[in-house]
């Protein structure tokens, strides 16, 4: 009962499926092409197959062989020429993905496609605009089978096949030799002497040798073997050895025996194919025989699928060496590697459309002599001819409309591929499609790919880098075998940002980023830094890792720890390293701890391209800082205070104090500068401290020059000239600016000290410096208050003055805000009453 209850719903469900299934579409058979049969002509990817037009909306392909492409479709066109094929269209939604081996396919045309629209049916790769093979549907004369089609096929070895068709009426065999071999290798096939022993079948054999010459032309030659030696003639003029059939020809051509006639040959996808005609009866001297070990009249086809060569690239390779320019010319196409192609294509160093191999970091020079109608450019577009015309976008790496020239006046183009350049790009003409071919971009030496390199501590890791505006490209290479390589930014692995590179069990390179805050496996915290162009590889156990990262992660508003991993190119970067036996993406344990590590960090100066070991605070630099404090914290402020608040004293004491303190401070500053430059072996305006220091020293040096150019002081009672007022303003402003910038230089110097040498009491020194200048500021406020009070008292005392001698008073500063007020109070109105008293003698 249970089985019946389960069975009935199942039957009901099947009925529903059949009820709502689409009926088979009806299709007419009105086209004249219906029931016609044709063979595909092989062009690329070892395509073979038979085509039969089933009706007006479908066709069948049988015995279909094809190597995979990238975006392969059934394609219709109006003709076989380059322009017709490239302007074709997709005729079916049935794509061709993967490898096909003796397959049978039923293909339906699109609803808006009819056979009247198709003159050529082709297998087309849209990515590379490649014709893999085609059938011409409408021909004036009956079509002959393509030269790659035979009645029989026999597998001789894994990479060698024999194809043949027997022509009884002409007493000949059509033989095809097909092998996945190198372009310079040959194929040999022949008939053994039936009387020969099985252990020595070559002796007495009649062998055809086929292959391709250096110019790419196919050949086939016959040889007769009497012994394993070079062909020679004895005294009786009888040939012995491996001899071409031509030595057996009679006088005046009588007894011609070389009856293997070349019919066709091509080289595609790393497979050589040669077709020739062989006559069944041959005469080698006095020996006549026609026995064949192979039964050529029996139908045999045990060749399943296309030959798949490991090395499919036959086109010549040009390797750019960075010294000699590559001569780019144009000429008629002879063996273009990616048909269909235009009549004229590009040649490099007289080779037709070769593969161009370049190294990252090595500049490539082109001497363009292809004509003014051919503009060379390096592009990501596999077709060329300006992708924008086809409403597509591409990346242009070099060249363009101006990259054209002729032999009499060539144009030079220099292109330097870098580590961001893809592995495969193309060189083409900007004006015509498919004139060029592929560019292989390979990794050169790291020293070529990066602008700078240093050896880290213990000389076991080399650190490479290249700076750009907003990012830095980094590479690290171990100098000994290890399972992983790690580099960190910090004084040690603890409390540092670490980049770990390793190759996993599948052979794929990995690079992970971590923040480490302890010495056990639980202290490694995986971060999500924005790394690009990530690579990691191992060669003989040597790990090399590469990546590009932004200088500023630009995620400061977030609380992720990696947002604080900012690289300042103007400050030294502390780099450490570690190596270990094994790393993993999964749960890390103490077994993944490093087996060797650096003993101390290396300070890498990113902008200067140099490095030095981190050291304790150098005594000379400590003296430099102390001298700068004495100058900018004591002497210069003291000189300014003397000029401001000691003028009321009689004599020129204030002036002497001012000059002595300022010149003493300037001398100390220059000596401190020389000490720092000598110790650091150079003067680099890179850090904030150096910029502030340079500015304040420049301002300090201006003051003596300004003092030398001081205008004459006005006489007593005279108004100060305009030049004198301007000078005093300039002198005062420059001096005060120098003090402000000097104080900033002192504070940035302490910060630089902490960043560079990890001095533990930098914060304490900074607070002490801040307290010192706070005390100086309080003293200034106190003196300024009393100075204003003193000037006010002086003005009040002079409000009732008696006519007499008035001595010069330097205490009235031209820049004092009380100067104008004092003058006004001395002259309260336009009228004055003067009382004269007699002088007692």
């Amino acid at each position: 009962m249970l089985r019946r209850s389960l069975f009935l719903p199942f039957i009901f469900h099947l009925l529903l499926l059949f009820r709502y299934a689409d009926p088979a579409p009806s299709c007419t058979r009105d086209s004249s092409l219906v029931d016609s049969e044709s063979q595909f002509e092989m062009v690329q990817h070892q395509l073979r197959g038979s085509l039969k037009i089933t009706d007006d909306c479908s066709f069948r392909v049988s015995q279909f062989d094809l190597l995979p492409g990238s975006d392969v479709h059934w394609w219709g066109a109006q003709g076989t020429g380059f322009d017709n094929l490239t302007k074709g269209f997709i005729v079916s939604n049935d794509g061709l993905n993967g490898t096909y081996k003796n397959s049978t396919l039923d293909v339906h045309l699109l609803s808006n496609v009819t056979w009247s629209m198709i003159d050529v049916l082709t297998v087309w790769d849209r990515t590379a605009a490649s014709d893999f093979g085609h059938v011409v549907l409408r021909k004036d004369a009956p079509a002959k089978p393509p030269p790659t089609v035979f009645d029989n096929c026999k597998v001789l070895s894994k990479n060698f096949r024999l194809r043949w068709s027997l022509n009884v009426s002409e007493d000949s065999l059509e033989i095809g030799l097909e092998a996945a071999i190198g372009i310079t290798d040959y194929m040999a096939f022949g008939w053994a002497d039936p009387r020969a022993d099985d252990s020595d079948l070559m002796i007495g054999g009649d062998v055809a040798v086929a292959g391709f010459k250096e110019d790419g032309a196919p050949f086939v030659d016959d040889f007769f073997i009497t012994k394993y030696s070079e062909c020679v003639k004895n005294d009786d003029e009888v040939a012995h050895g491996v001899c071409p059939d031509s030595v057996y020809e009679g006088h005046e051509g009588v007894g011609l025996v070389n009856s293997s006639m070349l019919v066709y040959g091509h080289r595609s996808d790393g497979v050589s194919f040669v077709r020739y005609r062989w006559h069944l009866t041959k005469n080698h001297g006095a020996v006549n025989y026609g026995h064949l070990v192979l039964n050529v009249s029996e139908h045999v086809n045990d060749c399943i699928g296309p030959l798949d060569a490991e090395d499919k690239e036959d086109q010549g390779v040009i390797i750019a060496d960075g010294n000699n320019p590559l001569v780019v010319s144009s000429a008629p196409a002879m063996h273009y590697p990616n048909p269909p192609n235009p009549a004229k294509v590009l040649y490099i160093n007289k080779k037709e459309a070769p593969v161009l191999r370049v190294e990252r970091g090595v500049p490539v020079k082109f001497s363009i002599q292809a004509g003014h109608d051919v503009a060379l450019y390096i592009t990501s577009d596999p077709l060329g001819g300006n992708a924008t015309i086809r409403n597509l976008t591409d990346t242009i790496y070099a060249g363009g409309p101006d990259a054209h020239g002729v032999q009499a006046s060539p144009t030079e183009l220099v292109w330097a591929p870098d580590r961001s350049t893809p592995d495969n790009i193309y060189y083409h003409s900007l004006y015509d499609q498919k004139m060029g071919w592929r560019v292989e971009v390979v990794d050169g030496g790291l020293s070529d790919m990066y602008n700078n390199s240093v050896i880290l501590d213990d000389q076991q890791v080399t650190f490479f880098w290249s700076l750009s505006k907003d990012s830095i490209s980094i590479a690290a290479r171990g100098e000994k075998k290890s399972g992983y390589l790690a580099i960190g930014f910090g004084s040690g692995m603890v409390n540092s940002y670490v980049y770990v590179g390793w190759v996993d069990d599948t052979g794929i390179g990995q690079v992970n980023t971590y923040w480490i805050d302890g010495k056990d496996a639980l202290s490694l915290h995986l971060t999500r830094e924005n790394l690009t162009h990530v690579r990691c590889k191992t060669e003989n156990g040597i790990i090399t890792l590469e990546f590009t990262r932004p200088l500023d992660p630009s995620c400061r508003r977030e609380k992720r720890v990696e947002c604080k991993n900012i690289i300042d190119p103007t400050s030294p970067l502390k780099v450490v390293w570690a190596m270990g036996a094994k790393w993993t993406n999964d749960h890390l344990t103490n077994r993944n701890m490093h087996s060797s590590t650096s003993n101390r960090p290396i300070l890498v100066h990113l902008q200067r391209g140099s490095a030095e070991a981190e050291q304790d605070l150098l005594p000379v630099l400590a003296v430099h800082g102390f001298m700068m404090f004495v100058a900018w914290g004591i002497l210069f402020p003291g000189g300014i205070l003397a000029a401001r608040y000691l003028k009321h004293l009689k004599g020129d004491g204030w002036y002497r104090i001012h000059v002595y303190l300022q010149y003493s401070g300037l001398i100390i500053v220059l000596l401190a500068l020389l000490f720092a430059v000598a110790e650091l072996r150079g003067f680099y305006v890179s850090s904030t401290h150096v910029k502030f220091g340079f500015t304040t020293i420049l301002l300090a040096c201006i003051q003596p020059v300004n003092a030398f150019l001081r205008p004459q002081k006005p006489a007593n009672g005279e108004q100060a000239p305009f030049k004198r007022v301007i000078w005093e303003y300039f002198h005062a402003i420059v001096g005060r600016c120098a003090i402000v910038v000097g104080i900033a230089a002192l504070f940035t110097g302490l910060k630089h000290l902490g960043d560079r040498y990890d001095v533990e009491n930098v914060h304490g020194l900074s607070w002490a410096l801040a307290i010192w200048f706070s005390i100086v500021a309080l003293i200034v406020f106190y003196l300024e208050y009393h100075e204003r009070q003193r000037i006010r008292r002086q003005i009040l005392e002079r409000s009732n003055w008696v006519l007499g001698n008035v001595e010069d008073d330097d205490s009235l500063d031209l820049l004092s805000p009380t100067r104008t007020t004092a003058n006004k109070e001395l002259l309260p109105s336009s009228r004055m009453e003067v009382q004269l008293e007699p002088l007692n003698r």
Side-chain angles (χ1 to χ4, degrees), residues 262-283:
L262 177 67
V263 176
Y264 172 81
H266 76 222
R267 173 83 181 174
S268 177
D269 312 303
V271 176
S272 294
F273 176 84
V274 174
R275 179 170 182 153
Y276 63 95
R277 184 174 294 113
W278 187 81
H279 291 281
L280 295 177
T281 302
K282 301 188 71 175
N283 178 24

Side-chain angles (χ1 to χ4, degrees), residues 743-761:
I743 294 173
L746 290 176
F747 280 101
T748 56
L750 286 175
K751 182 179 183 301
H752 187 67
L753 182 68
D755 294 340
R756 184 184 179 97
Y757 296 104
D758 275 344
V759 178
E760 296 179 355
N761 59 344

